[in-house]
Amino acid sequence: MAISLSMDSPAITATSPTERVADVFSATENELRACFVLGLGGDAAQYRLFLHGLGSHLRAYLRRRLPRAQADVEDILQETLLAVHNARHTYRDDQPLTAWVHAIARYKLMDFFRAHARREALHEPFEDDGSLFVQSDVEPADARRDVGRLLEALPDRHRLPIVFVKLQGLSVAEAAQRCGISESAVKVGVHRGLKALAARIRGSS
Amino acid sequence: MKTDDFIAMLANEAPPVDRRAPGRRFALALLLGFAAATLLMAAGLGLRPDLADAIHLPMFWLRIGFAACIGIAALWLTLRLSRPGLRIGARWASLAAPVAVAWVGMAVVLAHAPTDARVALLLGHTWRVCPILIALLSTPTFLAMLWAVRGMAPVRPRVTGAAVGVLAGATATVAYCLHCPEMSPAFWSTWYPLGMAIPAAIGALIGPRVLRW
């Protein structure tokens, strides 16, 4: 609330703390949004920058939200990043990136709460769209769940394309040759494999 | 896996996103659903025999328009609900408005009718089967749209399921209008929405399970 109020009154020259928060917030929104949109166009380097930036903001956000479940933060963070990646085609150019990311993060967090039924955490209010991009936390902790192991458990048609293309960095053509399938089948395999991975993560929590 | 490695994995070889793919998927689902509903209606129920005459009546088009307006509103809401972070808020009114207008029409018609004819206007000859038939005809659109929405990221699955149900019901109603002999606004503004409410309720019921991601 305070953020939108301070944005509505640019006539005040002295920078109050809320205004500085608003500045940080909108600068982050613009920066991350630029990287993300370039990433959607196929720029992998920009996309990586986006995921890194988003990851540190999400980490701070989750650590604040889960004061009594710090050990779960890194797990939910990875799950949320995967959700953002798998849903990246649902972003609409005319909407604020914050609102989009926040809705996904909240959805995944609610999922976590439902699974663990932590009553004290449910009492935290969620309606604060502004706070996600205000703080960032680049210090990762260790994830409890090993996504790598879940990946190993996927069927070959999903696992091999991800391992060759995403982890070993082979080109799609090389991966297609090794798997003995077409290039478009490799692309579909990566896409479906990441969705299957998200489902496995959900099932394991 | 460390989060930095995980990010590297996601960013590695992330091909350009086709921004028009969701639109194509929704259009395909809606077209297939409507075509299937129309075929089901024509094969199972049959077109009304006096259709050639009926299409000259304004009430025929008013009735189809009623269903179409609800369908367009439900489509709009479904599209918004399937993307994270888009608010609905007052846009719910777009769904309520056609129903409210039709109910005003129903009130006017019933007020001008003789007292002993009102029940007949309201019940017509087919009130027992009308909502059930609409619900049955909504099945293809319901399934096709659930498939389309599952390719998106609805963060309110229960509400989204209900919106898909209304959309499927409205699509089925447009097809059903080519069969239904009832022309009184008192009839169709009562029983058509009831027919749409059945898939909507089913959608709300199964949404959290089917649309989870």
Side-chain angles (χ1 to χ4, degrees), chain B residues 12-30:
Chain B
N12 193 11
E13 188 60 40
V17 171
D18 183 356
R19 310 301 293 279
R20 278 181 297 191
R24 278 201 302 271
R25 202 172 156 109
F26 278 115
L28 180 70
L30 196 58

Side-chain angles (χ1 to χ4, degrees), chain A residues 28-41:
Chain A
T28 312
E29 157 84 27
N30 291 338
E31 230 169 88
L32 283 184
R33 195 181 170 282
C35 293
F36 180 57
V37 170
L38 286 171
L40 288 180

Side-chain angles (χ1 to χ4, degrees), chain A:
Chain A
M1 267 307 125
I3 289 164
S4 64
L5 278 177
S6 65
M7 277 174 148
D8 287 341
S9 51
I12 304 167
T13 44
T15 49
S16 65
T18 48
E19 277 185 335
R20 254 171 276 136
V21 166
D23 287 344
V24 170
F25 165 71
S26 63
T28 312
E29 157 84 27
N30 291 338
E31 230 169 88
L32 283 184
R33 195 181 170 282
C35 293
F36 180 57
V37 170
L38 286 171
L40 288 180
D43 188 330
Q46 291 293 324
Y47 189 56
R48 184 181 302 227
L49 278 179
F50 160 74
L51 287 175
H52 263 294
L54 179 65
S56 44
H57 284 285
L58 277 176
R59 184 177 290 118
Y61 169 82
L62 291 171
R63 283 193 177 158
R64 241 175 13 242
R65 283 265 164 268
L66 298 164
R68 280 168 233 184
Q70 294 290 316
D72 294 310
V73 164
E74 215 63 17
D75 286 346
I76 305 173
L77 171 61
Q78 291 185 1
E79 191 179 350
T80 307
L81 286 173
L82 183 58
V84 163
H85 177 79
N86 281 339
R88 66 198 197 282
H89 62 290
T90 66
Y91 176 71
R92 225 170 66 172
D93 280 327
D94 59 352
Q95 73 180 126
L97 184 66
T98 322
W100 183 77
V101 163
H102 193 266
I104 295 176
R106 198 167 57 199
Y107 178 73
K108 284 294 162 189
L109 200 53
M110 295 294 274
D111 228 28
F112 171 80
F113 286 147
R114 249 194 306 272
H116 293 77
R118 286 207 166 78
R119 292 185 56 80
E120 72 275 18
L122 276 169
H123 293 308
E124 302 264 339
F126 283 135
E127 299 299 331
D128 55 348
D129 274 14
S131 63
L132 178 55
F133 286 174
V134 175
Q135 283 179 4
S136 86
D137 190 338
V138 291
E139 286 303 319
D142 280 329
R144 270 191 186 180
R145 166 182 57 218
D146 189 357
V147 175
R149 198 160 296 159
L150 286 175
L151 190 61
E152 289 303 316
L154 290 180
D156 278 0
R157 67 180 191 285
H158 290 148
R159 184 175 57 87
L160 290 178
I162 294 181
V163 169
F164 286 146
V165 175
K166 289 273 185 187
L167 291 174
Q168 298 184 5
L170 298 188
S171 72
V172 172
E174 287 167 330
Q177 214 166 16
R178 289 218 194 164
C179 298
I181 52 178
S182 73
E183 289 187 25
S184 58
V186 169
K187 288 182 196 164
V188 170
V190 169
H191 181 71
R192 297 219 173 125
L194 290 178
K195 295 222 154 168
L197 183 61
R200 289 287 167 108
I201 290 178
R202 219 168 52 208
S204 76
S205 61

Side-chain angles (χ1 to χ4, degrees), chain B residues 32-203:
Chain B
L32 281 180
F34 180 61
T38 310
L39 279 176
L40 270 179
M41 179 276 301
L45 305 171
L47 298 169
R48 56 187 280 178
D50 62 341
L51 186 63
D53 299 324
I55 56 170
H56 297 297
L57 301 171
M59 193 53 82
F60 179 83
W61 295 107
L62 210 60
R63 197 177 58 158
I64 282 200
F66 169 65
C69 281
I70 296 179
I72 290 167
L75 175 64
W76 184 46
L77 296 176
T78 304
L79 292 177
R80 285 188 73 85
L81 282 165
S82 50
R83 293 174 188 267
L86 293 181
R87 287 179 186 281
I88 300 294
R91 291 176 186 85
W92 286 117
S94 66
L95 210 53
V99 181
V101 170
W103 282 358
V104 170
M106 164 164 71
V108 171
V109 166
L110 288 180
H112 283 82
T115 319
D116 51 349
R118 284 179 189 162
V119 173
L121 280 175
L122 198 63
L123 299 184
H125 298 287
T126 58
W127 66 277
R128 278 172 217 273
V129 291
C130 169
I132 307 289
L133 289 176
I134 287 176
L136 285 177
L137 289 178
S138 74
T139 314
T141 314
F142 189 64
L143 296 177
M145 283 306 288
L146 282 182
W147 163 77
V149 173
R150 274 175 62 91
M152 302 296 282
V155 292
R156 297 167 69 188
R158 191 177 294 281
V159 179
T160 313
V164 167
V166 175
L167 172 57
T171 313
T173 305
V174 171
Y176 186 70
C177 280
L178 304 178
H179 162 80
C180 182
E182 312 279 357
M183 294 297 255
S184 165
F187 179 90
W188 49 257
S189 55
T190 305
W191 303 105
Y192 285 9
L194 207 67
M196 301 177 205
I198 297 172
I202 296 175

